[in-house]
Amino acid sequence: MMTAGQSTGGGPFDAWHKWIAQREIEWCKKKLWSQGAVIVVAVSGGPDSMLLLHALTALDERSDCKPGKLIVAHVHHGFRGQESEEEAEFVEQETVKLGLPFEMIRVDAPGLSKREGLNPQAAARQLRYEFLIQIAHRYAATHIALAHHADDQAETVLMRMIRGTGITGLAGMAWSREEDGLHYIRPLLDLRKAEVLQRCDERGISYVTDSSNAKRSYFRNRMRLDIIPQLEEENPKLVEAMCRMADALRDEDDYMEYETRKLFQRHVKAVNGDKSVDSNSAPFIPHVQTGYILDRNTFLGLHVALQRRLIKLILNYLTRGSDQIDFEAVDSARVRAAGECSTTWRVDVAQDIVFAREYGRLLWLRIHHEHKEGADCKASFTIHRTDAMGQLFLPDNNSTLRWLTSEELKGCGNSGSMEEISVGQHHHGQAWEASFDADGLCWPLVVRTRQPGDRMRIQGLNGSKKVQDMFVDLKIAPSLRDSIPLVADANGHVVWIPGVRRSNAAYVQSSTQAVIHFALEGGAHERSVHP
């Protein structure tokens, strides 16, 4: 049912202006916005939003808080049929009286609720905020004004407490917060609902009453109609107490968040595709859209509260859905990071988000969907015997494999036997270069990444050794193992793993007639194979 507040005609005229002057002082002190700001005002038509709208329009032209422009935004959620239609018409008429721009949208909140499995109020909130952001961008607005008041704050804090939350949740709604360049402000956050109604009657501000606010099927309504009144029997100042607690916890939450961001900037290294923010210390990781790496000992040296916040902050940077990652998921990741059961592991923490430990480091990675673990999409390349130099780009490793033959090696100013030339080249390039007796290799060669069962015959070792075991022995991070190129001969025998090991095949000796010399260059592989 829709009703309208009635003007009493009454109340002294200067009572309203005195109240506005008090509001102005409070808003300026809190620096909610500056003079001339363009503000989108979310107006449902209820007493809270109508009071906010009239208060903002009543500010004196000389006020330091006088907005430059106000835009009224109304959302028809599609829940209450004709009542919602009348509500929208009322808000538009009141906006026209004030001479302000009016923007409205009809959305299907019930449909979104059903499709996404959201509760109706959450679906309505999502669609409402999307519209407010859209209007803010259309008018180049810097602020979005919301009409939440003290009773809303107390309800929010108690609801979160009942469901389970941390300091951030208990801090409730902020007077002002910034997200994606927009400031969300709540100028009435310290007002009780009773005062809101009093000011509307005092000024003769009309408003509508949402009949769904009386439905006890909604948790928030039960909180407002039943739970808080019962708790107020124990403490008549319950709402004020809850709001004071939220204000205090918000200050502490802001401080903790500040310290967490400092830790993030100091110790967390970012990876973006095949590049890292700090190329000297952050490793190359294949098939990653973006990610973050942290030294495990640094993480373990933090207080448990900062550990949780750091994990939450990292996840927040990786996905907008981090709000849906609950305390248990964050703390489970923290406990796992501190555990000693295994030096390498990986777990999924959200869609396309992987949390992993690789020996002395912790990684949070957003993986390309097509490169998730188990995807068979690795490329292989064939090198036929040749007497000319050549090169091959390896996309999985973002590097280039180059080769020289005997003639090119001699042409580089080298003299002496093939054995002397090749040994000099090998030692100069260390593990990233290798020379072979071309006649001793079984051609063609294949350049690929590892496969299950790969083994290598190593000089001084009776038999062969699994490539997987070699990676483990050298503590090569699991996230790198699938991108390291292997060179195998025509029989499938691995003859060289750049940066890791050379096999005992086709050593260059004094009797060697033809040499082929390989070098792996480019990318970030040389600083990333060994953690």
Side-chain angles (χ1 to χ4, degrees):
M1 178 179 178
M2 185 175 71
T3 60
Q6 300 297 318
S7 169
T8 62
F13 179 76
D14 61 356
W16 167 258
H17 292 281
K18 181 178 180 181
W19 181 77
I20 290 294
Q22 293 171 343
R23 289 283 86 195
E24 177 187 343
I25 293 172
E26 185 68 24
W27 294 339
C28 289
K29 182 171 66 175
K30 292 186 177 298
K31 298 179 180 179
L32 297 186
W33 67 89
S34 57
Q35 188 180 49
V38 179
I39 303 176
V40 174
V41 188
V43 181
S44 67
D48 321 323
S49 59
M50 292 304 296
L51 177 64
L52 174 60
L53 179 60
H54 280 266
L56 291 175
T57 59
L59 289 172
D60 189 271
E61 292 291 341
R62 296 167 295 178
S63 169
D64 291 337
C65 291
K66 179 67 176 178
K69 186 174 186 178
L70 298 175
I71 302 97
V72 174
H74 177 79
V75 179
H76 183 311
H77 294 104
F79 281 122
R80 292 174 285 117
Q82 184 59 32
E83 183 178 323
S84 293
E85 293 289 343
E86 293 173 0
E87 193 172 270
E89 183 178 350
F90 165 77
V91 175
E92 183 175 13
Q93 291 173 351
E94 293 298 309
T95 303
V96 170
K97 291 178 185 178
L98 294 171
L100 299 175
F102 175 73
E103 297 286 347
M104 190 193 82
I105 189 173
R106 286 178 171 84
V107 298
D108 183 16
L112 178 64
S113 173
K114 185 176 181 180
R115 290 193 306 272
E116 302 293 335
L118 301 170
N119 70 60
Q121 290 178 322
R125 181 183 186 278
Q126 178 178 320
L127 293 169
R128 183 166 61 252
Y129 274 79
E130 288 175 356
F131 177 64
L132 292 173
I133 293 170
Q134 175 188 334
I135 297 304
H137 289 161
R138 183 182 304 171
Y139 285 87
T142 53
H143 294 71
I144 294 175
L146 308 167
H148 297 109
H149 49 73
D151 292 64
D152 292 327
Q153 180 77 299
E155 292 166 15
T156 298
V157 172
L158 282 169
M159 288 169 65
R160 292 176 179 177
M161 184 183 297
I162 290 171
R163 288 169 172 161
T165 188
I167 290 179
T168 302
L170 293 176
M173 298 177 287
W175 279 84
S176 176
R177 69 177 177 89
E178 183 181 359
E179 184 176 332
D180 295 332
L182 285 173
H183 296 269
Y184 296 82
I185 56 175
R186 296 179 172 88
L188 305 183
L189 198 55
D190 59 338
L191 260 63
R192 292 296 308 269
K193 179 73 172 187
E195 184 176 357
V196 170
L197 296 172
Q198 174 194 337
R199 298 301 172 187
C200 285
D201 288 343
E202 182 178 86
R203 183 60 175 171
I205 298 172
S206 296
Y207 56 85
V208 296
T209 302
D210 184 344
S211 63
S212 67
N213 287 337
K215 293 182 178 179
R216 285 179 165 80
S217 56
Y218 296 126
F219 181 27
R220 182 175 289 275
N221 289 352
R222 296 195 301 276
M223 178 66 67
R224 183 181 67 256
L225 298 173
D226 301 323
I227 298 174
I228 287 182
Q230 187 171 349
L231 291 174
E232 285 180 320
E233 292 179 7
E234 302 297 329
N235 179 8
K237 297 291 186 180
L238 174 73
V239 170
E240 290 84 347
M242 297 300 295
C243 290
R244 283 198 306 272
M245 181 188 76
D247 287 342
L249 289 179
R250 194 176 310 113
D251 290 338
E252 295 188 12
D253 185 58
D254 288 345
Y255 170 74
M256 290 289 288
E257 189 68 10
Y258 171 74
E259 291 297 322
T260 303
R261 291 181 184 276
K262 282 203 307 184
L263 287 168
F264 180 92
Q265 294 170 1
R266 187 180 306 130
H267 298 295
V268 178
K269 308 303 179 186
V271 177
N272 185 10
D274 62 351
K275 298 178 181 179
S276 61
V277 170
D278 186 343
S279 60
N280 293 320
S281 57
F284 163 77
I285 301 175
H287 314 316
V288 170
Q289 290 178 325
T290 187
Y292 298 96
I293 301 170
L294 173 64
D295 177 76
R296 180 170 174 267
N297 287 333
T298 299
F299 178 80
L300 296 182
L302 301 177
H303 189 281
V304 62
L306 289 172
Q307 290 178 351
R308 291 192 187 106
R309 282 180 171 269
L310 193 55
I311 292 173
K312 186 71 173 178
L313 181 61
I314 289 171
L315 293 175
N316 186 58
Y317 285 140
L318 284 175
T319 174
R320 285 187 175 274
S322 63
D323 287 343
Q324 304 302 316
I325 300 174
D326 57 21
F327 173 86
E328 287 76 12
V330 171
D331 205 49
S332 175
R334 181 192 66 80
V335 170
R336 182 148 195 165
E340 298 293 345
C341 58
S342 176
T343 56
T344 63
W345 43 258
R346 60 186 295 169
V347 294
D348 293 332
V349 294
Q351 185 177 7
D352 294 333
I353 303 297
V354 170
F355 175 41
R357 175 184 173 185
E358 294 181 345
Y359 303 107
R361 62 186 187 178
L362 302 173
L363 305 91
W364 290 265
L365 309 171
R366 175 178 284 281
I367 306 295
H368 285 293
H369 181 73
E370 64 271 21
H371 288 295
K372 276 192 166 183
E373 191 171 0
D376 185 16
C377 52
K378 301 293 184 181
S380 64
F381 304 90
T382 300
I383 301 176
H384 294 277
R385 180 150 185 185
T386 178
D387 293 326
M389 69 175 67
Q391 65 181 35
L392 182 65
F393 177 67
L394 306 177
D396 285 329
N397 190 249
N398 194 37
S399 58
T400 300
L401 181 66
R402 305 183 190 277
W403 57 86
L404 300 173
T405 62
S406 303
E407 294 305 316
E408 284 85 18
L409 288 170
K410 289 181 178 179
C412 291
N414 294 293
S415 60
S417 68
M418 289 295 177
E419 183 178 22
E420 291 171 336
I421 293 173
S422 66
V423 169
Q425 290 283 344
H426 177 79
H427 283 296
H428 174 73
Q430 298 178 355
W432 302 105
E433 301 183 27
S435 296
F436 295 89
D437 183 332
D439 295 324
L441 292 172
C442 185
W443 296 86
L445 303 180
V446 176
V447 183
R448 58 173 175 80
T449 53
R450 65 171 179 163
Q451 296 177 355
D454 275 339
R455 305 182 72 93
M456 178 188 282
R457 301 187 69 88
I458 301 171
Q459 187 175 31
L461 182 67
N462 186 19
S464 61
K465 187 169 184 176
K466 290 182 179 180
V467 170
Q468 166 69 14
D469 292 343
M470 295 168 61
F471 285 166
V472 172
D473 290 346
L474 293 173
K475 294 187 176 181
I476 295 174
S479 62
L480 302 175
R481 295 173 189 172
D482 287 334
S483 68
I484 296 173
L486 282 68
V487 179
D489 65 15
N491 294 321
H493 299 145
V494 179
V495 298
W496 181 43
I497 307 176
V500 178
R501 200 77 184 257
R502 183 202 194 281
S503 77
N504 63 2
Y507 273 109
V508 177
Q509 302 178 30
S510 57
S511 59
T512 296
Q513 297 299 309
V515 171
I516 186 163
H517 179 80
F518 292 101
L520 189 68
E521 303 172 354
H525 60 278
E526 295 191 28
R527 63 172 176 270
S528 63
V529 168
H530 302 292

